[in-house]
Amino acid sequence: MPELPEVETVARGLQREIAGRRILTVTLGKTDFIDNPTEIELNLPTRTIERVERYGKFMLLRLTHPTAKEPSALLVHLGMTGSLMPRPVAQPHAKHTHVVFLLDDGRELRYVDPRRFGRMAFLAGPRLQEELLRFGADPLESTREAFVDLIHSRHSRSKALLLDQSVIRGVGNIYADESLWRAKIHPAKTGASLKPAQIKLLYTKLQEILRKAIALRGSSISDFLGSDGLPGDYQQHHRVYDREGKPCFRCKTPIRRIIVAGRSSHFCPNCQKAPRSQKRRRKRSQIRRQKRHKRRK
DNA sequence: CTCGATCCCTGGACGC
DNA sequence: TGCGTCCAGGGATCGA
């Protein structure tokens, strides 16, 4: 559930709380969500958390070491239910605490994640660079022109494109649905089928929503809390997400929920007109496939 | 390139 | 009250 605004909220909180702290020891519980548990145990102690950044839905804990020259970082993805917070050593460990970093100020940085859909990895040097290159543009840093190109050049459905971290990094189900509603784009419309003006509007709305959500410390559905334990408030501003059957804020038409790109997608069937038909889409992609086939021959 | 299906995992919702 | 069942959801992976 944590998407860009929630991760930004947590990252800012951690930057304030733990930047400059040195890690003394690491204790691991379950490790099936960690790329390389041994490397974490080996490399994290003695390193200092220089600063905490957000990278898409990841938190990037930039690390320094007295002798190591290569840049290194701890990548943390919160998945659906992850949290990373500093706690007093005396405080009992919450259930599903899987990673504990003892800090040089006597506190513990704890990773808790009931479902373990998160991810953790220690990366350094070229491997770190390589990993970061797998992801697409940050929606808040991309230019409008680049964003339009990105979407317009693809034949995937708009919802799939927004969710694809290798295209745009940081957007998840909530902010995809919310931005498509604001831009009046049906989630099943393909990027290529959109007019540039529509994509420009999507870009603007997506940025507006993300900035507003960051200002409100994210959306707290289920139980998301920032690193200082405060909930977010953006859920008050949701227009379609989790509002199936409720009236559209623009036209009162009941909001619908369908599965697009394997994810539940909420939209207004009146404001967000459906593409002509699935059949035609299939036919078109078949034609493209044949063209490519011929070209190869 | 793009798609759908499947798996991972647990807690919350729901039915009885 | 308690038990069983279903489902959500980000991402990796695989076959079509």
Side-chain angles (χ1 to χ4, degrees), chain A residues 128-273:
Chain A
L128 174 60
Q129 290 220 318
E130 220 173 276
E131 178 66 23
L132 298 184
L133 285 175
R134 295 176 47 217
F135 299 93
D138 188 298
L140 292 177
E141 288 167 14
S142 165
T143 66
R144 196 174 69 162
E145 292 66 34
F147 185 87
V148 172
D149 284 350
L150 217 50
I151 301 297
H152 202 53
S153 65
R154 301 290 226 98
H155 293 277
S156 297
R157 291 166 295 186
S158 54
K159 175 67 181 271
L161 290 172
L162 287 174
L163 291 183
D164 187 336
Q165 301 300 300
S166 70
V167 177
I168 310 283
R169 76 175 111 106
V171 178
N173 215 27
I174 295 175
Y175 299 99
D177 283 3
E178 292 298 318
S179 59
L180 289 171
W181 179 82
R182 301 242 177 206
K184 302 185 183 175
I185 296 171
H186 190 284
K189 283 274 259 178
T190 64
S193 75
L194 297 172
K195 297 192 184 93
Q198 284 181 293
I199 307 177
K200 286 179 187 171
L201 184 62
L202 178 61
Y203 169 84
T204 304
K205 292 298 171 188
L206 178 58
Q207 286 204 342
E208 274 178 20
I209 286 170
L210 293 174
R211 292 210 177 95
K212 174 95 179 180
I214 289 170
L216 293 181
R217 317 170 37 78
S219 301
S220 282
I221 58 169
S222 67
D223 51 8
F224 169 77
L225 297 175
S227 64
D228 41 13
L230 288 174
D233 280 325
Y234 191 74
Q235 67 280 6
Q236 317 272 358
H237 297 263
H238 291 179
R239 291 293 178 261
V240 285
Y241 187 80
D242 206 20
R243 293 196 64 246
E244 184 181 14
K246 300 201 174 121
C248 171
F249 273 85
R250 277 191 298 254
C251 73
K252 310 289 181 229
T253 304
I255 297 303
R256 287 202 51 200
R257 186 177 80 100
I258 58 172
I259 302 296
V260 180
R263 291 283 170 262
S264 68
S265 303
H266 311 77
F267 69 104
C268 169
N270 181 47
C271 297
Q272 297 162 271
K273 295 295 185 205

Side-chain angles (χ1 to χ4, degrees), chain A residues 17-232:
Chain A
E17 287 282 325
I18 62 164
R21 298 278 58 81
R22 192 158 48 91
I23 295 170
L24 302 180
T25 65
V26 177
T27 311
L28 301 181
K30 291 192 178 169
T31 58
D32 55 357
F33 62 98
I34 303 177
D35 286 25
N36 42 11
T38 312
E39 285 187 57
I40 300 239
E41 286 177 312
L42 228 53
N43 291 296
L44 271 286
T46 74
R47 278 179 208 256
T48 298
I49 302 164
E50 199 64 22
R51 60 179 196 277
V52 182
E53 302 167 11
R54 177 189 60 76
Y55 189 84
K57 293 181 198 171
F58 282 89
M59 277 181 294
L60 205 51
L61 279 62
R62 297 278 187 184
L63 304 170
T64 55
H65 186 273
T67 57
K69 291 228 174 76
E70 279 190 331
S72 61
L74 183 72
L75 254 67
V76 181
H77 194 297
L78 299 175
M80 303 283 310
T81 52
S83 73
L84 187 66
M85 295 190 199
R87 298 289 189 200
V89 174
Q91 191 174 108
H93 287 187
K95 202 179 170 187
H96 307 295
T97 299
H98 302 303
V99 183
V100 176
F101 301 104
L102 177 64
L103 305 178
D104 64 355
D105 62 0
R107 290 182 300 170
E108 286 177 346
L109 180 62
R110 299 176 183 172
Y111 181 77
V112 182
D113 188 354
R115 290 188 197 175
R116 308 204 299 285
F117 270 25
R119 182 185 161 202
M120 191 177 286
F122 169 80
L123 293 169
R127 284 175 57 214
L128 174 60
Q129 290 220 318
E130 220 173 276
E131 178 66 23
L132 298 184
L133 285 175
R134 295 176 47 217
F135 299 93
D138 188 298
L140 292 177
E141 288 167 14
S142 165
T143 66
R144 196 174 69 162
E145 292 66 34
F147 185 87
V148 172
D149 284 350
L150 217 50
I151 301 297
H152 202 53
S153 65
R154 301 290 226 98
H155 293 277
S156 297
R157 291 166 295 186
S158 54
K159 175 67 181 271
L161 290 172
L162 287 174
L163 291 183
D164 187 336
Q165 301 300 300
S166 70
V167 177
I168 310 283
R169 76 175 111 106
V171 178
N173 215 27
I174 295 175
Y175 299 99
D177 283 3
E178 292 298 318
S179 59
L180 289 171
W181 179 82
R182 301 242 177 206
K184 302 185 183 175
I185 296 171
H186 190 284
K189 283 274 259 178
T190 64
S193 75
L194 297 172
K195 297 192 184 93
Q198 284 181 293
I199 307 177
K200 286 179 187 171
L201 184 62
L202 178 61
Y203 169 84
T204 304
K205 292 298 171 188
L206 178 58
Q207 286 204 342
E208 274 178 20
I209 286 170
L210 293 174
R211 292 210 177 95
K212 174 95 179 180
I214 289 170
L216 293 181
R217 317 170 37 78
S219 301
S220 282
I221 58 169
S222 67
D223 51 8
F224 169 77
L225 297 175
S227 64
D228 41 13
L230 288 174

